[in-house]
Amino acid sequence: MTSAQVDTSEKSSGTSEASEEGYERGLGSRQVQMIAIGGAIGVGLFLGAGANIAKAGPSLILMYAVAGAIVFFIMRALGELLLYRPVSGSFAEYSREFLGPFFGYFTGWTYWLMWVVTGMAELTAAAIYVNYWFPSVPQWVTALVFLVILFGVNLISVKVFGELEFWFSMVKVTALIGMIVIGLGVLTFGFSAAGDTASVANLYQFDGFFPKGVGSSLMTLQGVMFAYLAVELVGVTAGESENPEKTLPKAINTLPWRIALFYVGALTVILCVVKWTEFAPGVSPFVAAFAKIGIPAGAGIVNFVVLTAALSSCNSGMYSTGRMLRNLADSGEAPAVFRKLSASKTPALGITVSVLFMGIGVILNYVVPEKAFGYVTSVATAAGIWTWLMILISHVLYRRAVDAGRLPASAFPAPGGAKCSWIAIAFLLFVTCLIAYDGDSRVCLYVMAGWAAALGVGWLVLKNRNPEVAERHEPAPLEKVN
C-alpha cells in the first residue's frame, strides 16, 4: 500500500491517528499556526536583507511585497491540494499523482536537497550571530554544536519538535512586533539617538526609491524568494496534524497579514528609522538599526532573536528531510530502510542521514566562512523554486481534472483558480532567468544541473531494478472534505 493510499484510508475512516502510516498526529492547531508563522520569518529576512538593502535600497520593500503576493498564490494552490488529499510529503505526492512517478521522485529528492542546504545556511547564520558575542570562537565550532543539539531534539518526538518550534516562533513574532512598535515610536516621538534623522523621507531622499535602478532591485528577487522558503512547510505537517481540515486553511489564510506585517511592515519601519546607506551585507539590518537607536542591550537582544530564527529554520529542516525520505521510501524511490520509525514514531534514520549531509555546512564554515552563506542560499533558492513550480503545475492539472469531473472539488479552493497559479509560474521562471543572469548566483544552476543528472541516473537504476516504480498509480477515492 502506498503512503497516499494509507492516508486516504485514514481520511475516509475519520481516525485521529495516522496508525497505518505510523506517524503520531502530535501537532495541534497552536503548533501548526506557529510553524506557519515561523516559516515566514527566517534568516533570509534577518540576515539576507542586509545585502539586499545595499543592492536595492528602499525599493526592497516593493520586492518583498510583490514576491509575497506570489507566495500567497503558491500557498493557496497548495492549500487546495491539501484539502483534496492531505498527506505527509505532499509536494512529492501531488507531483507523483498529476505529473507522473518521475516528477514525484525528482520533487521529493529536490525538496530534501533544499532543506539540507537551507540547514547549512541557517547553521552558518547562527554561527555568525554567535560571533557577535564571542568573536574568538570559530564559525565551524558553533555550527557543529547547534547541529548536534537540534539533531537530538528531532529524534525525541514530533511533539517536542512542535513545542520547540512554537516557542522559537513566539520569540520571533514577539520581537518583530516589538521592533515595529519601537521604530514607530522613534518616528513619532523622536526619542533615541536615531530620533533626529528618523523620517519617512528616508525612503526617497537618498537617490530616490530605486537608488541603484530598477534592474538592480529586480536582481534582489532571488534573495527575497530565499527569505520566503519554508512557508510551504505546513504541507509537510499535514500527515501529523490533529485536524488538517481546520488548521491548514487557517494557517494559510493568515499568510498575507504575516507578510504585510513581518516583511513589508518591519522593513518599512527600519528603513524609515535608519537610512538605507548605513546597512551593509553580512550584518542583520535589525541588529544595525537597534545599535543606531542606542537602546541599552537592544542590539544584543535582537541578535538573540535572529539567532532563534536561524535555529528554528534548521530545526524545521531536520523535521522535513526525515519525512520526505520516508515518503520516497514508501514509493520505492529511496532505500526501504528509511521507512522505519523509531519508538517515538520519528523517521530517525532519515533525520540522521540528512543531518550528516547538513554537516557539509560545518565544513564550508571551516573552509570558506565568508562565502558559505551565499553559496548555500543560492542552491536552496533554486531547489525551492522547483518545488514551488511543481506545486503550481500540480494545482493547474488538478483544477483541470475537477472541471472535467474526474476528481472531487476541494473544500478550500484557491481564489482565481488556475489563473493565479499561471501568474506565479511565470514569475518563478522570471526569477530563474535573473539567477542565470547573475554571475555570482549562476553557480547554483550548474549545481542543479548536476543534481538533475544524478537523479536521472538514479531513476534509470530504479526502473531497471523495480519497473513498478515507474508505473502510474491512481490514489484511492476520497470522501469529500466538508
Side-chain angles (χ1 to χ4, degrees):
M1 183 180 287
T2 66
S3 62
Q5 292 169 322
V6 170
D7 216 74
T8 297
S9 62
E10 290 167 23
K11 181 87 170 39
S12 299
S13 63
T15 58
S16 61
E17 288 190 5
S19 55
E20 290 181 69
E21 191 175 89
Y23 287 128
E24 176 186 7
R25 289 198 180 273
L27 295 177
S29 176
R30 169 179 65 93
Q31 293 166 326
V32 172
Q33 289 294 318
M34 273 301 177
I35 288 171
I37 292 173
I41 309 170
V43 70
L45 171 65
F46 283 125
L47 181 61
N52 288 326
I53 289 172
K55 292 178 182 177
S59 64
L60 183 65
I61 298 168
L62 179 61
M63 298 300 106
Y64 271 106
V66 171
I70 297 300
V71 167
F72 180 62
F73 292 163
I74 296 169
M75 290 304 296
R76 282 306 302 259
L78 176 59
E80 183 166 359
L81 292 169
L82 285 172
L83 268 291
Y84 149 66
R85 193 161 68 91
V87 289
S88 184
S90 57
F91 324 117
E93 278 297 314
Y94 300 135
S95 300
R96 193 173 288 118
E97 177 179 351
F98 294 107
L99 289 102
F102 173 76
F103 287 93
Y105 158 82
F106 196 101
T107 301
W109 278 108
T110 300
Y111 193 65
W112 175 84
L113 173 70
M114 187 202 89
W115 270 113
V116 165
V117 294
T118 299
M120 295 180 194
E122 308 299 354
L123 289 171
T124 301
I128 291 172
Y129 297 144
V130 170
N131 196 53
Y132 176 85
W133 293 300
F134 306 103
S136 61
V137 178
Q139 276 186 208
W140 71 269
V141 172
T142 309
L144 179 60
V145 170
F146 285 138
L147 183 69
V148 172
I149 292 173
L150 293 178
F151 173 53
V153 167
N154 271 269
L155 290 183
I156 299 173
S157 75
V158 68
K159 287 184 178 180
V160 173
F161 158 79
E163 198 62 27
L164 182 63
E165 198 58 31
F166 173 84
W167 289 108
F168 272 155
S169 295
M170 183 66 77
V171 169
K172 291 186 287 187
V173 170
T174 304
L176 265 180
I177 292 174
M179 293 178 206
I180 292 171
V181 170
I182 292 173
L184 289 174
V186 173
L187 281 170
T188 305
F189 302 108
F191 63 81
S192 87
D196 294 337
T197 56
S199 169
V200 175
N202 284 338
L203 296 178
Y204 55 83
Q205 268 189 341
F206 302 95
D207 298 322
F209 190 69
F210 292 91
K212 300 291 186 70
V214 175
S216 182
S217 297
L218 291 175
M219 292 304 294
T220 64
L221 281 174
Q222 52 188 303
V224 169
M225 296 310 289
F226 172 76
Y228 285 124
L229 291 183
V231 293
E232 74 292 325
L233 185 64
V234 291
V236 182
T237 69
E240 293 170 275
S241 301
E242 290 176 352
N243 193 348
E245 292 83 3
K246 291 184 179 180
T247 57
L248 296 178
K250 187 176 180 181
I252 291 170
N253 277 335
T254 58
L255 186 63
W257 72 259
R258 283 184 272 133
I259 290 173
L261 178 65
F262 298 133
Y263 280 92
V264 178
L267 279 175
T268 300
V269 171
I270 289 293
L271 289 171
C272 286
V273 171
V274 182
K275 60 185 180 180
W276 72 270
T277 53
E278 297 189 22
F279 296 108
V283 178
S284 169
F286 296 91
V287 174
F290 269 67
K292 175 72 174 179
I293 291 172
I295 296 177
I301 293 172
V302 175
N303 197 68
F304 170 76
V305 172
V306 296
L307 173 61
T308 65
L311 296 179
S312 167
S313 186
C314 189
N315 187 41
S316 297
M318 291 182 188
Y319 169 86
S320 59
T321 50
R323 273 72 184 170
M324 193 56 70
L325 283 180
R326 186 167 189 251
N327 177 266
L328 288 163
D330 280 339
S331 303
E333 297 162 356
V337 69
F338 287 126
R339 296 185 62 187
K340 294 181 179 179
L341 293 178
S342 67
S344 58
K345 297 184 179 180
T346 61
L349 182 60
I351 294 171
T352 302
V353 171
S354 301
V355 166
L356 290 176
F357 277 93
M358 286 182 190
I360 296 173
V362 176
I363 298 172
L364 286 175
N365 276 281
Y366 177 75
V367 179
V368 283
E370 71 287 347
K371 295 182 178 180
F373 186 76
Y375 284 158
V376 294
T377 55
S378 63
V379 175
T381 303
I385 286 175
W386 173 269
T387 301
W388 288 339
L389 283 172
M390 291 300 100
I391 292 171
L392 293 166
I393 294 172
S394 296
H395 177 248
V396 169
L397 296 176
Y398 166 70
R399 289 302 294 253
R400 285 181 184 174
V402 171
D403 293 342
R406 297 192 304 272
L407 290 175
S410 171
F412 189 47
K419 296 184 183 68
C420 290
S421 288
W422 279 116
I423 293 170
I425 289 169
F427 180 85
L428 292 178
L429 293 176
F430 173 66
V431 173
T432 303
C433 291
L434 293 177
I435 292 173
Y437 180 76
D438 185 0
D440 290 335
S441 60
R442 192 183 304 143
V443 65
C444 75
L445 298 182
Y446 301 141
V447 172
M448 289 305 296
W451 175 252
L455 288 182
V457 171
W459 181 250
L460 292 175
V461 172
L462 276 175
K463 284 205 313 182
N464 288 333
R465 289 184 177 178
N466 182 14
E468 290 184 4
V469 170
E471 294 178 6
R472 197 161 186 159
H473 299 283
E474 295 297 326
L478 281 178
E479 292 179 3
K480 186 175 179 179
V481 180
N482 293 318

